[in-house]
Amino acid sequence: LAISTAVFETNPFEACIVLGHVQDKDGQKMSKHKGNVVDPWSVLDKQGADAVRWYFYTNSNPWLPNRFYDDAVSEAQSKFMGTLWNTYAFYILYADIDGFDPTKYQLEPDKLAPMDKWILSKLNTLVKTVEKYLDNYRLTEPARELNKFVDQLSNWYVRIGRQRYWGDTMTEDKISAYMTLYTVLETLSRVIAPFTPFIAESIYQNLVRSVEKDAPISIHLTSFPKADEHMIDTALEAHMDTVLDIVTLGRAVRNKTGVKNRQPLSEMYVSGEALPEQITDIIKSELNVKSVIFVTDTSAFIAYNLKPQMRTLGPKYGAVLNGIRNYLAQADGNAIVEAVKGGGSYSFDVDGTAG
């Protein structure tokens, strides 16, 4: 195992230690002799130290070879830090417009919308997961979990609930939306501080220190967050995962059939157990359907076209092969498939020949 150390002196505390071979985008080991090394300063000047850190965290485990090139760093930077920063900027924009001060309100669980409860549950589950991995000196796994969370925070929670911030009056629902997003961003900034110290510090200073004058002067003087078990709802998280799958599949079906999302549909059938009404409403809104019907028996929606396999049946039933083909073409495909599930069998007679 080769060990290479590169110290990025953007400030006295910033260092990046890379274990294992560093490769270029073609998978060739970097070396001065091959002339394919990357000047770290050019990368730091372009994407920053946090982006380089994050790329190495998420690309592969430290003891495995890492392919390193500018575009890969930019992609990692955009997916995580760019998405997180846009979410943070969204909160700051509307909080400034409304003059919202989170220190004047409390997060009241009883008044939260289902989406608020879900994202807070995901947040606390994330805190537990990241802490567990870090306690065991794992970096890649928690970084990837953070990637997933930030994506769902921005592209699901904020996108669906953005209209809650648009009203002129400070309603209970609007306060809940603000307090939920503030809580998530404040907690998340402390979770990512060991991974991306600079963006975490920037968010903390403007998000927290601007309203809490007695807060520690740096995020790196705060404690790593502790998960609130009372906020974790595993059933709600499972339901929302199902919703995400249904919405993804529903959009795929619309695209495949050429039916655009702006065209409303009267009904949508989903195979599986029914979801709570408030959760189902999200599906209706996202896919523009008036009714979502859950079914456990999908046989009515499936049609089987059964044909004999010539290579297998020909040597044994050659004389009646046409009869077998005709029988299968007219038979109840669902009944035959159900009979042979799990290694079962299905028998019938053709011209006096049993098969």
Side-chain angles (χ1 to χ4, degrees), residues 27-70:
Q28 298 296 315
K29 181 181 176 182
M30 286 188 181
S31 69
K32 291 181 180 178
H33 149 113
K34 292 184 179 179
N36 61 350
V37 294
V38 174
D39 177 10
W41 297 111
S42 65
V43 179
L44 291 171
D45 289 341
K46 180 181 178 182
Q47 286 117 334
D50 276 353
V52 177
R53 280 172 170 261
W54 192 252
Y55 172 72
F56 279 114
Y57 293 151
T58 55
N59 185 43
S60 66
N61 284 304
W63 53 87
L64 297 175
N66 272 286
R67 292 191 179 186
F68 185 88
Y69 50 102
D70 285 0

Side-chain angles (χ1 to χ4, degrees), residues 119-161:
I119 197 63
L120 289 170
S121 178
K122 292 286 288 185
L123 174 70
N124 285 279
T125 298
L126 176 75
V127 171
K128 283 181 62 178
T129 302
V130 172
E131 184 176 30
K132 178 182 177 181
Y133 279 127
L134 293 182
D135 285 345
N136 289 279
Y137 301 99
R138 308 289 292 192
L139 289 175
T140 303
E141 294 87 349
R144 290 177 178 176
E145 290 297 321
L146 284 163
N147 255 341
K148 293 177 186 177
F149 180 83
V150 167
D151 178 69
Q152 290 187 343
L153 173 66
S154 173
N155 297 317
W156 189 246
Y157 175 76
V158 171
R159 183 180 62 77
I160 288 179

